[in-house]
Amino acid sequence: AGCDSFQPAPLTRLRRGFSCGVTKAEWLALGDQDWRVVSVQDRGSEAKQACSDDVEVRKGSLVVFLCPEKSCVSGKAWAEADRKVLEQTANESAHPLSWMAAKSPKGPPTLSEGIRLELDGSSGAEFRVMRGATLLRKDKEYCTFEYEPLARISHNFGQVSDFAGSIGPVDFLWFRDEAVQPKRPLGARGGGLDVRGRVGVHVLGICRFTKAATWSDQLAVDVTWCPGPDFEV
C-alpha cells in the first residue's frame, strides 16, 4: 500500500515479508495462520491464476483470499527494545498472564506499539506484531498474542473489500484414515502433514461431520475456514 516501486513478488516472498529497497515501505509477513489465497488476477486481464507458491503478485493485482477473524502467534522478543515493550505490556495486567486472563473482568492487555517476535520453530525468522494485539500469555521469555489478520493484510494491500464473485472451482479431498490416525496438524511442525510443502495443496477449509450417521442419512457438515498450520485433522 502506497509503494509505487513495488516489484512483482511470488507468494512465497509475501509469506516471509520484506521492505522495498526504494521507498522502505514494509510488507508484513503473512503466514498460513493469517490468510489463504484463492486466486490472483492481474490488472487488465480476465484470467485468474490459481494459488501456488510461484504465482506473482504485481501492483494493481486483484488477490482473492480467505482469512480468519482472529489468529494467534507465539514466540519470544526479537531484541532488547521489543523485550522492554513486552514487559511493559505484561505489567499492565492485573492477573497472571495465562489463557484464563482472557476471562478476567479487566481482560488481557494490548500492545501500545508494535514489537518483533522470533517465532517458535522459525529458525530466526522475524514476525512483527502490530499495535493493538492482545497479550494472552507470557511464560518467562515466551509469549502468545492474539490479533486480527485483516489488519495485517490491509497494511500491505491498502484497500480491502468483500469479493462478490465465485471462488470456484475447488477440489474436495478426503483424508485417509491411516494418514490422520492419530490426529496430526496440517503444517510441518510436530510430525504434521505439511500438505502445502509436500504436495502443494493450499487448504481453504476443513469439513467435519457433526454427527454419526449411516450412508442413507443426510450428514450434517461443519466447515472450519482458513485453518492454521497447527490445526489438527
Side-chain angles (χ1 to χ4, degrees):
C3 180
D4 294 330
S5 299
F6 181 82
Q7 299 298 312
L11 287 176
T12 50
R13 190 181 183 198
L14 305 189
R15 188 175 293 115
R16 295 191 301 267
F18 59 92
S19 296
C20 176
V22 178
T23 65
K24 306 303 180 183
E26 182 182 19
W27 182 284
L28 298 177
L30 295 174
D32 287 342
Q33 77 276 9
D34 296 321
W35 70 340
R36 208 58 48 84
V37 176
V38 177
S39 64
V40 177
Q41 184 176 349
D42 291 336
R43 177 184 291 173
S45 172
E46 296 183 358
K48 295 180 181 179
Q49 301 181 72
C51 178
S52 72
D53 289 342
D54 298 329
V55 169
E56 288 189 332
V57 174
R58 307 172 185 272
K59 191 169 181 63
S61 294
L62 173 65
V63 180
V64 179
F65 63 91
L66 300 176
C67 76
E69 292 185 7
K70 301 283 187 180
S71 285
C72 292
V73 63
S74 299
K76 58 183 180 180
W78 179 267
E80 180 62 22
D82 303 306
R83 189 189 65 78
K84 289 182 179 180
V85 175
L86 177 61
E87 293 295 336
Q88 180 181 355
T89 303
N91 291 336
E92 294 176 359
S93 176
H95 304 272
L97 280 170
S98 65
W99 290 112
M100 295 303 296
K103 301 180 180 180
S104 68
K106 184 177 179 179
T110 58
L111 282 175
S112 58
E113 59 181 291
I115 68 170
R116 298 168 299 165
L117 292 181
E118 179 180 347
L119 303 187
D120 291 345
S122 62
S123 301
E126 174 188 336
F127 187 91
R128 185 175 294 276
V129 183
M130 298 179 68
R131 180 179 64 181
T134 301
L135 179 60
L136 293 182
R137 176 166 56 188
K138 185 177 182 299
D139 183 10
K140 297 181 180 178
E141 61 180 357
Y142 286 94
C143 58
T144 298
F145 283 96
E146 182 184 69
Y147 62 94
E148 297 179 357
L150 192 58
R152 303 180 66 83
I153 298 171
S154 299
H155 171 91
N156 293 344
F157 283 100
Q159 182 178 1
V160 176
S161 58
D162 290 336
F163 181 63
S166 170
I167 67 171
V170 295
D171 295 322
F172 185 83
L173 307 177
W174 189 282
F175 286 103
R176 300 193 314 269
D177 288 346
E178 60 266 28
V180 291
Q181 293 292 339
K183 294 190 296 184
R184 298 171 65 186
L186 285 175
R189 288 193 300 174
L193 296 168
D194 191 19
V195 290
R196 179 169 56 82
R198 291 182 179 178
V199 293
V201 172
H202 293 251
V203 180
L204 300 182
I206 295 292
C207 302
R208 285 190 172 121
F209 295 129
T210 57
K211 66 175 183 179
T214 64
W215 289 109
S216 61
D217 292 335
Q218 183 68 36
L219 297 176
V221 177
D222 178 62
V223 182
T224 299
W225 295 107
C226 200
D230 295 328
F231 187 89
E232 292 185 329
V233 293

